[in-house]
Amino acid sequence: MSDIYIVGIGMTPFGKFLDQSMKDLTRGAVSAALQDAGLAKEDVQAAYFANASQAAIDGQYMIGGQVALRDMGIGGIPVVNVENACASASTALHNACLHLKAGAADVVLAVGAEKMYDADKTKSFNVFNGAWDVHNVPTLTKALLELGDGIEPPPERQAQANMRSVFMDVYASLARFHMKTFGSTERQIAAVAAKNHNHSMLNPFSQYRNGMSIEDVLASRMISWPLTLPMCAPISDGAAAAILVREDMLDRFDRSRAVKIDACVLATGSDRKAEEVEKHVCHIAAKKAYEIAGVGPKDMSVAEVHDASAFAEVLQAENLGFCEFGQGGWIAERGETSLGGRIPINPSGGLESKGHPIGATGLGQIHELVTQLRHEAGDRQVEKARFAIAENGGGFHGFEEAVACITILSRQ
């Protein structure tokens, strides 16, 4: 079975773009990826289009990919729409790999695009409200709140009334459980957010490019204790794309810039107990990805993880094996996950600062890691980057993500 390589990447800035449509965002990312690969639109033989919120925001159901791609002149090929919560884009990448491995095409496009900002903010927030079991909300809410029993916020740290994603309350509950179980602190979580906001200053694609100290993060508006506003990913517009080929096609491209996909594992969760941390869907998927790629956590040069909240990065650092369970906040506070540290995590700024356009997020991670492995990341370059890993989670089911995708990349 042939190895799969990424030969082209493209991305728009992430942010609030009321003057740009889904078609505009798609065109920007795909055109950049094609130019990066040295290909024409006519060279693309199949496409996987990821999006999660367009139906809810503007009523475009079922054929979003066909509509957006045809508008820029890509048609007459298989186009598959992918909706898999916040893991939609990495799922598109996973499916593109399978399409190539099946020998059904030579050049496949994976693209994720999202237009989340709307004049009616309620529409934007309601997108998140459907990404868990809507038929069982009271039971789920009770179970999550009980995770943090015994860990109460100080009186001065109470949340302020505000409109927010239900997932910030989910992450806050998980964070309190982690604090109760392992002794993690609010300051450690703030250290993650401060690190990512400082990384984002070096990324021209980031939604926010303002540096922050730990004290700045802690002093910001409380969303859902222990999470303050800078610890939470924003609503975002944006798009990202990748061009994939089999190894036998590489002679058509610049081999020196081709990045190998060593593993791409898609998984769903289980009915584990909250305290069974070693059974977390992301941890199990990561172990499988490491096994397929023939490498381990110590081989990784850089990582992009799904930090929809700063606590999520704490959790995923543990799931990916960069430290023992319970030590994710500790290694962040020590600087081990910062640029120049032992294992830089989210040099892009992560979802908290780079932005989180749901259906594009996973390919935004891939864009950053390919750039790092090509040694083209400028001031945020990780020295001697050779192996990279991405963790992209989506939705929520039980005590963990409903879906997770782990991708390992390398450049020899």
Side-chain angles (χ1 to χ4, degrees):
M1 188 178 294
S2 178
D3 291 325
I4 308 301
Y5 286 78
I6 296 172
V7 294
I9 52 171
M11 180 174 165
T12 70
F14 288 177
K16 182 178 182 179
F17 305 118
L18 295 177
D19 59 339
Q20 294 188 46
S21 68
M22 278 287 295
K23 294 176 182 179
D24 295 330
L25 294 168
T26 301
R27 183 184 304 108
V30 174
S31 296
L34 289 170
Q35 182 178 8
D36 186 53
L39 292 173
K41 292 178 288 189
E42 294 74 21
D43 294 318
V44 177
Q45 297 173 4
Y48 288 85
F49 180 87
N51 176 269
S53 69
Q54 191 179 13
I57 297 292
D58 65 17
Q60 175 63 73
Y61 293 90
M62 305 183 192
I63 58 168
Q66 288 84 349
V67 170
L69 292 171
R70 180 97 57 93
D71 187 76
M72 64 171 295
I74 296 178
I77 61 171
V79 174
V80 179
N81 293 289
V82 178
E83 192 282 288
N84 212 8
C86 302
S88 294
S90 56
T91 303
L93 182 79
H94 179 269
N95 288 351
C97 288
L98 296 180
H99 198 113
L100 287 165
K101 287 180 179 291
D106 296 322
V107 178
V108 178
L109 166 69
V111 55
E114 205 73 79
K115 179 74 180 166
M116 297 186 67
Y117 272 100
D118 190 87
D120 182 355
K121 291 183 179 180
T122 303
K123 285 185 178 180
S124 301
F125 282 101
N126 280 345
V127 170
F128 298 96
N129 293 336
W132 63 342
D133 186 350
V134 298
H135 304 287
N136 199 25
V137 171
T139 301
L140 290 173
T141 302
K142 182 177 183 293
L144 287 167
L145 291 177
E146 287 176 349
L147 287 178
D149 282 352
I151 300 291
E152 300 297 331
E156 70 277 9
R157 304 298 284 164
Q158 296 290 337
Q160 301 172 22
N162 56 82
M163 183 180 291
R164 61 179 182 263
S165 159
V166 66
F167 281 92
M168 292 308 104
D169 291 324
V170 169
Y171 279 121
S173 296
L174 294 175
R176 292 194 292 272
F177 175 79
H178 201 272
M179 295 165 80
K180 178 173 66 174
T181 305
F182 298 109
S184 300
T185 67
E186 188 178 358
R187 185 175 182 83
Q188 289 175 344
I189 301 172
V192 171
K195 180 260 300 180
N196 287 338
H197 282 279
N198 290 328
H199 284 177
S200 73
M201 295 175 66
L202 307 175
N203 185 0
F205 293 102
S206 285
Q207 184 164 347
Y208 300 115
R209 299 186 66 190
N210 53 307
M212 300 191 79
S213 67
I214 293 175
E215 287 69 27
D216 292 333
V217 174
L218 290 171
S220 297
R221 178 163 61 89
M222 185 63 64
I223 299 299
S224 185
W225 190 81
L227 305 179
T228 62
L229 183 62
M231 300 183 196
C232 305
I235 288 172
S236 312
D237 301 333
I243 305 290
L244 283 65
V245 302
R246 292 191 308 276
E247 186 175 22
D248 56 17
M249 292 288 294
L250 280 183
D251 287 341
R252 291 182 53 186
F253 303 94
D254 182 352
R255 280 180 172 266
S256 68
R257 299 180 74 244
V259 170
K260 183 183 176 186
I261 300 178
D262 290 311
C264 190
V265 173
L266 190 65
T268 55
S270 65
D271 292 326
R272 69 176 179 89
K273 297 177 181 178
E275 59 270 19
E276 294 177 312
V277 293
E278 73 286 351
K279 294 183 180 180
H280 193 288
V281 59
C282 294
H283 183 59
I284 292 174
K287 289 198 298 182
K288 183 176 181 181
Y290 286 135
E291 182 180 355
I292 292 171
V295 293
K298 291 183 179 180
D299 297 304
M300 297 299 108
S301 309
V302 57
E304 286 280 310
V305 307
H306 193 94
D307 60 320
S309 75
F311 171 71
E313 181 179 309
V314 171
L315 184 65
Q316 299 310 333
E318 297 167 5
N319 283 329
L320 296 183
F322 297 141
C323 60
E324 295 180 5
F325 288 106
Q327 296 297 306
W330 184 77
I331 64 171
E333 191 175 26
R334 284 172 53 90
E336 294 185 22
T337 59
S338 299
L339 282 167
R342 172 173 64 86
I343 174 63
I345 297 178
N346 289 332
S348 68
L351 281 60
E352 296 157 64
S353 300
K354 181 181 63 179
H356 184 23
I358 296 176
T361 292
L363 282 164
Q365 294 178 324
I366 297 302
H367 184 280
E368 175 66 21
L369 295 181
V370 169
T371 301
Q372 289 285 348
L373 292 173
R374 288 173 169 178
H375 295 178
E376 296 173 355
D379 290 339
R380 67 183 189 281
Q381 180 63 53
V382 174
E383 186 178 358
K384 298 179 180 178
R386 182 183 174 194
F387 288 99
I389 188 167
E391 174 274 324
N392 185 204
F396 203 78
H397 198 183
F399 297 113
E400 62 189 12
E401 291 81 354
V403 57
C405 188
I406 306 292
T407 306
I408 296 177
L409 306 174
S410 68
R411 182 165 170 262
Q412 304 304 316

